[in-house]
Amino acid sequence: MRRSPLVVLLVVAGLVAGAAAAAASTPSFRKYVALGDSYTAGPLIPWQQASWCFRSNNNYPSWLATRLGIYDADGAFTDVSCSSADTSNMTQPQVTPSPSIPLSTQQPQFDALHADTDLVTIGIGGNDDSVFGDLTGTCPTLRADDPTGAPCQAHYTVNGVDTMAGAVQATGRNVAKVVQGVKDRAPAATIVLVGYPRLLPPTGTCPSVIPFADGDYAWADSIEQKLNAAIEGAARSEGVHFVDTYSPSLGHDACAGGKAWVNGQSTNLFEAVAYHPFRSGMEAEAKLIAQALGVPAKGTKAPAPRSKADPAQLARTAHLTGA
């Protein structure tokens, strides 16, 4: 049966209207600023930008900017994430790569925010009170004392109080203040707090990769869960987005071999610093953030290298482990 011209016209009009509505509902961002620590920056993930912040152009902000179609747009994408940053470095300068090796000073990350900033992602909190550094720096040294026990948990329990858990509660308040600061400086921005992907498996151990005592696996994992809960709580209290990367990373912890999103104890100068994300983890996180924002993929091509790192520089600072 032939359709009348009027019916065809109505069908076409409906399709055009539907497409226009879909386009209107898809968010568009023109000024994206990424703030964060090394779980945002991506230390040693190729290719590294020329900075003592150890920032990769294959980190999740770069992949998100690529999905947004603004990675190469002039002035549209600014990434000031920096390895070892904590919440204080949003408003205060940061000595890099570390206070013990003061080779440069980074401006406060909030300096990148402006009134026309319309998207801000924030991945921060793990370095407050040295929580991340203490877990990955201290727990391996205590395994020999009690390989099947939980000597690290005992070390950080004082008079029956888990000091790590207490520190994480304070971190939540600090992150909430960060969000408030972003709102003050970029009042029109969509703000996204990004959680931390899981480092440890829910069961089992892999001491050759994560050299914690067997009993410390569950405890350290509980600290990360508390950290993510504190960040999510800050997002909820401030009315901004929270992207959970912990739950989706089930089966992608450091013990997961080729499926791991996060590295174990062995730094690889051309893949990732110890206990930090691989490129695969960064790509996965960018996808999760894009989905939370309702942004469809605009391409899968990797961000073009802006600059390659000096291998000698990387070798001199390969000890960097702070998040």
Side-chain angles (χ1 to χ4, degrees):
M1 181 180 67
R2 295 182 62 188
R3 293 183 178 180
S4 70
L6 178 59
V7 171
V8 173
L9 181 61
L10 290 174
V11 170
V12 171
L15 291 174
V16 170
S25 65
T26 300
S28 177
F29 299 104
R30 297 183 179 181
K31 295 286 185 178
Y32 167 33
V33 174
L35 313 174
D37 56 31
S38 62
Y39 263 65
T40 300
L44 301 190
I45 297 174
W47 294 104
Q48 294 282 291
Q49 298 177 33
S51 168
W52 287 108
C53 280
F54 292 89
R55 188 185 305 121
S56 171
N57 66 357
N58 273 299
N59 59 11
Y60 74 69
S62 294
W63 280 99
L64 179 60
T66 299
R67 283 177 170 268
L68 294 171
I70 60 173
Y71 179 81
D72 293 315
D74 187 33
F77 170 48
T78 304
D79 183 1
V80 291
S81 60
C82 194
S83 296
S84 297
D86 60 31
T87 55
S88 72
N89 298 124
M90 301 299 104
T91 57
Q92 299 174 22
Q94 178 186 350
V95 177
T96 53
S98 68
S100 60
I101 309 177
L103 296 177
S104 66
T105 300
Q106 310 299 321
Q107 294 301 307
Q109 292 190 29
F110 276 178
D111 285 4
L113 299 173
H114 301 285
D116 63 349
T117 301
D118 58 9
L119 175 63
V120 180
T121 59
I122 310 168
I124 202 72
N127 287 324
D128 283 33
D129 289 307
S130 299
V131 167
F132 182 85
D134 285 347
L135 284 176
T136 58
T138 302
C139 291
T141 69
L142 299 175
R143 174 180 168 82
D145 297 340
D146 186 5
T148 61
C152 203
Q153 179 179 9
H155 178 81
Y156 287 107
T157 300
V158 180
N159 296 325
V161 176
D162 188 330
T163 59
M164 279 288 184
V168 165
Q169 289 180 350
T171 296
R173 295 189 289 272
N174 294 344
V175 173
K177 291 178 181 177
V178 169
V179 174
Q180 293 164 12
V182 172
K183 289 180 177 179
D184 290 342
R185 293 162 177 81
T190 296
I191 301 172
V192 182
L193 281 175
V194 181
Y196 291 89
R198 77 172 64 225
L199 175 66
L200 299 161
T203 59
T205 64
C206 59
S208 63
V209 178
I210 304 288
F212 291 5
D214 294 355
D216 281 327
Y217 273 69
W219 171 74
D221 182 56
S222 75
I223 296 299
E224 184 180 0
Q225 291 187 54
K226 288 181 173 65
L227 173 61
N228 279 316
I231 296 171
E232 183 177 12
R236 189 181 305 111
S237 69
E238 296 301 320
V240 301
H241 295 275
F242 172 74
V243 174
D244 172 23
T245 65
Y246 177 88
S247 299
S249 57
L250 178 65
H252 299 286
D253 55 81
C255 295
K259 295 182 179 180
W261 289 359
V262 181
N263 192 17
Q265 66 169 326
S266 300
T267 288
N268 185 315
L269 289 176
F270 302 101
E271 285 194 290
V273 164
Y275 305 113
H276 282 73
F278 292 117
R279 171 174 162 167
S280 59
M282 292 295 192
E283 291 184 48
E285 290 188 63
K287 182 178 180 180
L288 292 169
I289 298 167
Q291 289 173 341
L293 292 172
V295 176
K298 289 192 176 182
T300 57
K301 183 179 179 181
R306 292 175 176 175
S307 60
K308 297 183 181 181
D310 175 3
Q313 179 192 55
L314 299 183
R316 287 195 299 270
T317 57
H319 67 282
L320 180 67
T321 58

